[in-house]
Amino acid sequence: MARWDFAFFDSGVRFDSPDANPDATMRDLSKFFVPPFDDKKISLARQIAFSTDHLQRMSANNPGGELTDRITATTSALNLVVDCFGDNETKLAQRASAKLVKDNFRQTIPGEVARIMGAVVAAYGDGAPQVLECCPHGRAVFSQCRDDEVQTHLNTLLTGVTAHAADLGAAVVTRATNLVNAWLTIYGASEASTGAQTTTQEGKNLARENLNLMLFLNLLTLAMMFPRQPEKRDLYMRQDLLEIPEGEEEEEEEPEPDPNPVP
């Protein structure tokens, strides 16, 4: 509930401010339940370009690991679309993008590990056997090891916190689990891409719809993270990548022949 002279969520917005939410108008609330990314006018090329850029922005701006789950889900959804539809050139570009996402996410891992290990130290004390069990090589290893070694160290961390879940709490185990799953997905995407050459047209449509849903959930997540701060959209989402520039007409996409038609 809004109160006079009180700012919520560090947004800096006050209810009695003359310029507070100047664009706020009552709209049909049911429209907020409809993913705008389902717009049929959005071409596949624009969907992939927007999603690729958006994924890079999320991985580079992931405060407190709040977007880790969304990065994982979006990475998987985008990879499926590229595998279903992408030609060799598209897949090559996606591999380059996936590497950038991986590099950006890798930089966030030491901070995430520090938060998890902070809970372990708080529970058992610095230098306790449980601390060494979870992170035997110290936190610095996550900044120094090769990419192909990160998974091993994360698995050790997850095994350790899981063994002491009764003391650490479910939230710590969940955070470690999400970190492991995110790295597995993101690192895997940067290393290889598998083509789904026999995907049916229905399967391809479902892949696009799933990506649209992931993008919509990302939008809702960002709105929850930054209420009353619409300017944050530009940090995470370039809407212009989805839109046809003024004065240009986009060619209609021709449906691909179904490799597995239903008899």
Side-chain angles (χ1 to χ4, degrees), residues 49-94:
F50 171 84
S51 302
T52 299
D53 180 80
H54 170 53
L55 190 54
Q56 292 175 2
R57 289 169 179 268
M58 283 200 301
S59 64
N61 300 279
N62 185 20
E66 292 182 75
L67 294 172
T68 297
D69 287 355
R70 301 309 318 149
I71 292 171
T72 306
T74 306
T75 298
S76 296
L78 177 57
N79 287 342
L80 181 58
V81 169
V82 171
D83 284 344
C84 288
F85 288 93
D87 55 23
N88 290 334
E89 185 175 346
T90 299
K91 291 179 179 179
L92 182 62
Q94 177 59 19

Side-chain angles (χ1 to χ4, degrees), residues 4 12 16 25 32 37 59 62 65 71 73 97 105 127 142 156 159 165-166 176 181 187 235 238-239:
W4 296 89
D16 60 348
T25 56
F32 290 96
F37 306 99
S59 64
N62 185 20
I71 292 171
S97 170
F105 190 81
F142 291 97
T156 299
T159 300
N181 291 340
Y187 179 62
L235 180 62
R238 279 190 56 190
Q239 187 170 339

Side-chain angles (χ1 to χ4, degrees), residues 139-171:
R139 298 202 309 267
V141 72
F142 291 97
S143 300
Q144 300 168 353
C145 71
R146 301 193 309 268
D147 284 345
D148 58 2
E149 297 175 336
V150 172
Q151 191 70 32
T152 298
H153 297 301
L154 287 178
N155 287 338
T156 299
L157 174 64
L158 177 58
T159 300
V161 297
T162 301
H164 301 288
D167 295 330
L168 298 175

